[in-house]
Amino acid sequence: MDACTGFASAVRVVISGIQDKANAVYAHGQSHGSDTQEPLPTGPELMALADPLGDAAVRVRIAGPKVVAEEAYGVLDKCTDAMGNLGDYINLTASSPFSVDNPELAIIMVDGPIVRHSEVMTSIIAASNALSDFLDVARDHLDDWNGQAA
């Protein structure tokens, strides 16, 4: 069960980091043209957020039942979606001379996806919900955590 709690803790750190970075991008976009504009998060910063997830997911796969490992994969998918949305949001903000989160801005012409702060927050909520589902399944199979491979 230590693998389960370790994985859940790692996911919480990643979700929190994604939210912090998304809020930093939002603040960057709102301060276009200002002298106090903070730099956008970089690719290595985003990749560093996901570092703890891989090892923790492997531990869940090795120590837990198969159904719990499958739920962990679902959480990883949602975290990957949130990271991808954050990356798209950063790219859109970096390429725009104005705030992409401006509600009065109806149309943005870009080559890539249009991902704004609200879409990143929605994907964070989906990742949090997937984590909650994972924890429910892990609790339901608490007696199956015998350290044997799933």
Side-chain angles (χ1 to χ4, degrees):
M1 194 61 183
D2 289 340
C4 175
T5 56
F7 178 72
S9 295
V11 170
R12 286 185 191 107
V13 167
V14 169
I15 289 172
S16 176
I18 293 170
Q19 186 170 10
D20 290 345
K21 299 293 183 196
N23 289 339
V25 174
Y26 181 81
H28 174 90
Q30 296 303 311
S31 64
H32 263 68
S34 171
D35 293 337
T36 61
Q37 191 174 32
E38 294 292 322
L40 288 170
T42 63
E45 289 175 11
L46 297 183
M47 297 308 292
L49 287 175
D51 276 348
L53 276 184
D55 291 339
V58 169
R59 285 188 199 101
V60 168
R61 177 67 178 111
I62 291 171
K66 185 175 183 178
V67 67
V68 176
E70 289 170 354
E71 285 295 319
Y73 292 140
V75 173
L76 290 175
D77 285 342
K78 297 298 181 184
C79 287
T80 301
D81 292 345
M83 290 286 288
N85 283 344
L86 177 58
D88 290 340
Y89 180 44
I90 291 170
N91 290 337
L92 182 63
T93 301
S95 66
S96 177
F98 46 83
S99 173
V100 298
D101 292 297
N102 186 344
E104 296 172 6
L105 182 64
I107 299 173
I108 299 176
M109 308 249 329
V110 294
D111 289 335
I114 297 177
V115 177
R116 296 178 176 152
H117 190 260
S118 60
E119 286 86 5
V120 176
M121 291 299 118
T122 300
S123 63
I124 288 171
I125 291 169
S128 296
N129 289 341
L131 177 60
S132 176
D133 293 344
F134 165 79
L135 291 172
D136 288 343
V137 170
R139 283 186 204 103
D140 290 345
H141 293 86
L142 192 59
D143 293 336
D144 299 335
W145 284 83
N146 57 8
Q148 301 298 318

